[in-house]
Every structure is written in C-alpha cells, then in structure tokens.
Amino acid sequence: MSGVTLATGPDETTSSARKPERQQGGVGVMGSLRVIELQLVAFIMVFSASGLVPLLDLIFPALASAYLLLLSRFAFPSLGTTTSSSHEILFQGSRFFRLYMVAGTSVGLFLPLAYVLGGFARGDQHAVRSATPHLFLLSFQILTENIISGLSLFSPPIRALVPLLYTVRRIFVLIDWIQDVWINKTLPPNAQLKDVTWYWFGKGLAVANLAYFSINLFGFLIPQFLPRAFERYFRERSEVNSKLAEDKHSQAMNRTKHADKKAE
C-alpha cells in the first residue's frame, strides 16, 4: 500500500538465508506485512461487495487497470533488460522509511478494518458505509502492487503510477469519509462513554488517513517515487538505444569488411 511493495521490492524469501541477519529483519517485517495485507484483502473484498461501495469506486480499478495496460503497451513498454526487472527495487528506503510505511499500513488498513468490523458489531451502518470505499480501493491497490511487482511485463513508470492513481482517488474518498463523520454524524444526547469514544475514534481515524495519504502523495510519491521511476526508465532506454546503435554500427563495419575481402 502507498507504494510499499513497489518501493521496498518483493519478499525475497528464497534468498533470505544468504543475507546477513541485520538485513533479514527489514525484509522479514515487510514480507510478513504483505502476507497479512493480502489475507486482509481477501476478507475486505467479501464485505465490500455487499452494496456499500459506490458505483464509481467499483469501476475505478477496472478503469485504472485498463489505463495502465495502455500506457504499458504504447507509452512506457518494458525494455526487457535485466536492470528493469520487476524484482529491482525502485526506492531503497531507510529504516525510518520502513517504519513510516508500517505506520501507514496500520493507519490505512488495520485501524479502518477494525473500525468497520466494530461498526458491524455495534450496528453502526453509518461507520461501515463511510470507511468501506477507502478499504475497497486500498485492497485493489495492494493486489495491483503485488501483481505488478512480480511481473517483468511492466516498466518502472507503470509500477510507480499504481499507488499514485489509487492514492489520488482515495484522497477524494477520504474527504467524503471526513464529511460523513464530522458533519453528517451526530452524537446522541444520552451517549455513554463508550459511544463517545467510538464517535471520536471514527473522526480521528478519518483525519489521520487523509493526513497520512496526503503527505504520502505530495511528499513522497510525486516528488520522490515517480521521478525516480522515470529517471531509471529513461536511463535504461538510453542505454538500450546506445547498445542497439553500437550493434548496428558493428554489423555495418563487418559487412563493409566482408565486401572489401570479396573485392580483393
């Protein structure tokens, strides 16, 4: 989520035994986190199909996937080089960056999931309806990131555009969530302490999600992640074009030499 799979690379379980223990910790945490994410995604998809997600959000993953496939085919095709492999890490973050991603997963996935489940248990359909579209889009983003990170068919710009497109859409969904819990939802006069706690938990969670993903979009994805992907792609394309030009020049020289030998 928020580019975590594409930024830190796939879970290298098979090669972890060859890495020093100091490096295994970070990879293991992120790998385990992605496994948990995928398990939760399957659960989210089930209750998200119960009519709680608006039509626009339901069709957005299909539209985004079609657009990414078109870009992959006509604008930024895979170069088929070793360095552009899907297993190449686009952004090598520090330990603080990994903690930032883990915090984002907690704020964006785990806590909203707990909020929706709590809404089901309390019979609070307003809470369920407010948070479910965000979880639905996030689940598709996680699935798309994990699929693309394991395929060499997609170039770095396509991989970077996945979290960018979904985050932009979810910003608007989160604004709707904030409006639902801050404007449209009121606390009953005879509310008990647990009702007040639940009421403010929903408000704070909506604000925290909008704050985190806004910072992630404008502070990481646009200024750092996306330029890094395009820089790598165009550098690799330039190298490929230079290599092709050298090969053509060598072939032309060989043909010339061969013709000269025949003439002699």
Side-chain angles (χ1 to χ4, degrees):
M1 57 164 296
S2 65
V4 63
T5 303
L6 306 179
T8 58
D11 184 20
E12 302 174 6
T13 307
T14 56
S15 60
S16 61
R18 297 191 296 269
K19 294 177 178 284
E21 290 185 3
R22 180 176 58 85
Q23 296 180 359
Q24 287 184 27
V27 175
V29 168
M30 303 311 296
S32 300
L33 185 61
R34 285 194 289 273
V35 171
I36 295 173
E37 285 176 348
L38 290 176
Q39 292 173 343
L40 291 175
V41 163
F43 183 69
I44 291 168
M45 295 288 289
V46 172
F47 67 75
S48 294
S50 59
L52 299 173
V53 182
L55 179 61
L56 178 59
D57 295 327
L58 284 173
I59 65 176
F60 179 83
L63 296 176
S65 299
Y67 179 63
L68 291 171
L69 289 173
L70 289 175
L71 287 179
S72 178
R73 176 65 178 85
F74 298 105
F76 307 107
S78 177
L79 301 175
T81 61
T82 304
T83 55
S84 64
S85 169
S86 60
H87 295 282
E88 187 75 14
I89 298 175
L90 289 182
F91 188 90
Q92 183 63 54
S94 62
R95 178 171 296 183
F96 174 78
F97 174 78
R98 293 176 181 272
L99 292 176
Y100 162 78
M101 287 298 185
V102 172
T105 303
S106 300
V107 171
L109 181 63
F110 296 152
L111 291 179
L113 179 60
Y115 182 66
V116 170
L117 293 177
F120 273 118
R122 297 170 60 90
D124 188 351
Q125 293 299 318
H126 189 276
V128 175
R129 189 177 299 106
S130 299
T132 297
H134 160 71
L135 285 172
F136 178 81
L137 290 173
L138 185 59
S139 67
F140 264 101
Q141 178 183 334
I142 294 171
L143 285 176
T144 306
E145 286 185 5
N146 278 274
I147 291 173
I148 284 184
S149 67
L151 296 174
S152 59
L153 174 66
F154 300 98
S155 60
I158 303 301
R159 296 163 59 196
L161 284 171
V162 173
L164 184 67
L165 290 177
Y166 276 93
T167 302
V168 169
R169 174 57 195 158
R170 281 191 296 104
I171 291 294
F172 293 97
V173 172
L174 290 171
I175 292 174
D176 291 338
W177 184 4
I178 287 181
Q179 182 178 357
D180 284 342
V181 296
W182 281 88
I183 299 177
N184 299 334
K185 187 175 183 179
T186 58
L187 193 64
N190 57 345
Q192 299 180 358
L193 178 60
K194 62 180 181 180
D195 298 322
V196 175
T197 303
W198 176 256
Y199 176 76
W200 285 104
F201 172 68
K203 286 178 175 287
L205 186 60
V207 172
N209 271 275
L210 181 61
Y212 176 86
F213 287 106
S214 297
I215 293 172
N216 187 67
L217 176 63
F218 296 108
F220 170 64
L221 291 177
I222 294 178
Q224 299 185 59
F225 195 50
L226 192 63
R228 185 77 59 89
F230 277 100
E231 179 185 1
R232 173 172 296 179
Y233 178 77
F234 287 115
R235 183 178 66 248
E236 293 173 357
R237 192 171 72 173
S238 177
E239 293 173 356
V240 170
N241 291 336
S242 299
K243 183 66 168 58
L244 290 175
E246 291 177 0
D247 293 341
K248 290 181 179 180
H249 180 70
S250 299
Q251 292 175 2
M253 292 294 294
N254 291 334
R255 285 195 296 267
T256 302
K257 290 179 180 180
H258 187 66
D260 291 341
K261 288 182 180 180
K262 282 187 175 181
E264 293 176 357

